[in-house]
Amino acid sequence: MDQNVGSFVAVRRLSGAGAVHHHRHHSSPAEVVGVSTAWIGKGLSCVCAQRRDSDARLSFDLTAIQEECWHRLQNRIEVQYDGSNLEHQKALKALWRASFPGTELLGLVSDQWKEMGWQGKDPSTDFRGGGFISLENLLYFSKNFPKSFQELLRKKNGDRALWEYPFAAAGVNITFMLIQMLDLQAAKPKSLIGAVFLNLLKENDRAFDILYCITFKLMDQKWLDMHASYMDFNSVIKSTRRQLERELLLEDIQRIEDMPSYRFLAR
């Protein structure tokens, strides 16, 4: 997975809740500022490298079914976004339609994408941190939990920060963080967290996508609870990861939907 990434773009909110817009040369309810710090993928290395009690190394053999589930997900992770791939283009257009129904997309490279929280007018440059699966995660979220998706995209809930996190770039970061947390680039899980998730994946082959949705909603709640601004994003992600690990280790978690934070999602 490519970890060479661009700079973070924060969104400054100047008015009440609603859609976040980016600064142009005309009047707009928000402004954009570039901050000299890695935002996607590499910016989370300090989070993912930290060792926790739940990271105790395991040694066990996978069953044939477990191995198949694990490798199927790994195959998804290895797919890089390809702007010349028609299926990838189709998925990106579908994400726009789900995000802004009724608003015509002028092109796959357009300033319109900044309205969604991409760092520039070409979203493909942001996928380097998470690959094609990060687009699939966002698309799954938009289709299966549209109410929650729109609430986060438009920052509808809570007392929002003056400088908000960019929605789409944060989504790519979440994909990257989950891949690291679950040991998904290893031949098999190396930690108890990864082993627990593998059993959930065996029960539901969309467990990773659902966990992504849970994580995004939980991250936003942490953001509000911590009264965070863009400089606090890594702290919010750390807190979110710790919460996910605690929930995955609960004894009564038999399905991904059993996680306590799942209840925050709304369709």
Side-chain angles (χ1 to χ4, degrees):
M1 182 170 298
D2 190 347
Q3 298 184 19
N4 295 319
V5 295
S7 60
F8 164 60
V9 177
V11 179
R12 184 181 182 187
R13 299 183 60 82
L14 301 181
S15 59
V20 174
H21 301 282
H22 287 249
H23 178 71
R24 306 192 195 291
H25 296 293
H26 55 76
S27 177
S28 174
E31 298 174 354
V32 175
V33 61
V35 180
S36 181
T37 180
W39 178 245
I40 298 176
K42 190 174 181 180
L44 293 180
S45 59
C46 60
V47 178
C48 302
Q50 289 185 340
R51 188 177 180 85
R52 299 172 175 80
D53 292 340
S54 57
D55 287 337
R57 297 298 143 182
L58 301 178
S59 178
F60 64 97
D61 294 325
L62 301 182
T63 67
I65 295 176
Q66 287 175 325
E67 188 171 4
E68 180 183 355
C69 292
W70 192 254
H71 288 166
R72 189 184 303 125
L73 181 54
Q74 285 185 321
N75 288 338
R76 290 180 62 194
I77 291 169
E78 292 303 317
V79 178
Q80 296 300 308
Y81 181 83
D82 181 357
S84 65
N85 186 308
L86 294 180
E87 288 301 314
H88 292 193
Q89 293 178 14
K90 181 179 178 181
L92 190 56
K93 292 176 182 177
L95 179 62
W96 176 267
R97 290 193 299 271
S99 302
F100 304 105
T103 301
E104 181 183 0
L105 177 64
L106 301 181
L108 292 177
V109 178
S110 167
D111 282 331
Q112 287 176 293
W113 288 108
K114 297 177 184 178
E115 303 292 340
M116 192 177 176
W118 299 104
Q119 297 186 99
K121 61 183 181 179
D122 183 1
S124 66
T125 61
D126 285 349
F127 289 127
R128 290 177 299 178
F132 182 59
I133 194 172
S134 59
L135 172 54
E136 291 181 313
N137 289 156
L138 281 166
L139 192 55
Y140 182 91
F141 193 9
S142 71
K143 290 182 175 180
N144 290 273
F145 302 98
K147 186 174 186 296
S148 289
F149 180 87
Q150 288 293 331
E151 288 173 349
L152 300 191
L153 171 64
R154 301 178 186 276
K155 306 294 195 300
K156 288 183 177 180
N157 297 334
D159 184 14
R160 311 305 305 197
L162 180 62
W163 296 99
E164 275 289 321
Y165 66 83
F167 173 80
V172 177
N173 264 293
I174 289 171
T175 297
F176 182 88
M177 183 270 284
L178 290 175
I179 290 171
Q180 296 293 307
M181 183 183 82
L182 300 172
D183 302 317
L184 293 180
Q185 291 181 304
K188 61 182 180 180
K190 296 180 179 179
S191 67
L192 183 56
I193 294 294
V196 168
F197 174 75
L198 177 55
N199 284 330
L200 301 178
L201 185 63
K202 187 179 67 173
E203 297 299 320
N204 186 339
D205 62 0
R206 283 295 183 177
F208 184 79
D209 300 272
I210 297 172
L211 181 60
Y212 172 88
C213 300
I214 293 171
T215 305
F216 212 142
K217 183 65 175 176
L218 178 61
M219 184 278 294
D220 188 74
Q221 187 59 53
K222 294 280 187 182
W223 178 274
L224 293 174
D225 292 344
M226 296 168 66
H227 304 288
S229 187
Y230 72 93
M231 290 297 289
D232 303 312
F233 187 80
N234 265 356
S235 295
V236 174
I237 282 288
K238 289 179 184 179
S239 179
T240 302
R241 174 170 172 166
R242 288 193 294 268
Q243 179 69 28
L244 291 173
E245 291 174 334
R246 286 194 295 267
E247 293 190 16
L248 285 169
L249 294 178
L250 293 174
E251 291 184 2
D252 57 349
I253 303 300
Q254 303 298 322
R255 305 175 307 140
I256 195 72
E257 295 87 351
D258 293 333
M259 292 182 65
S261 291
Y262 178 80
R263 70 182 187 276
F264 295 131
L265 290 170
R267 298 181 186 273

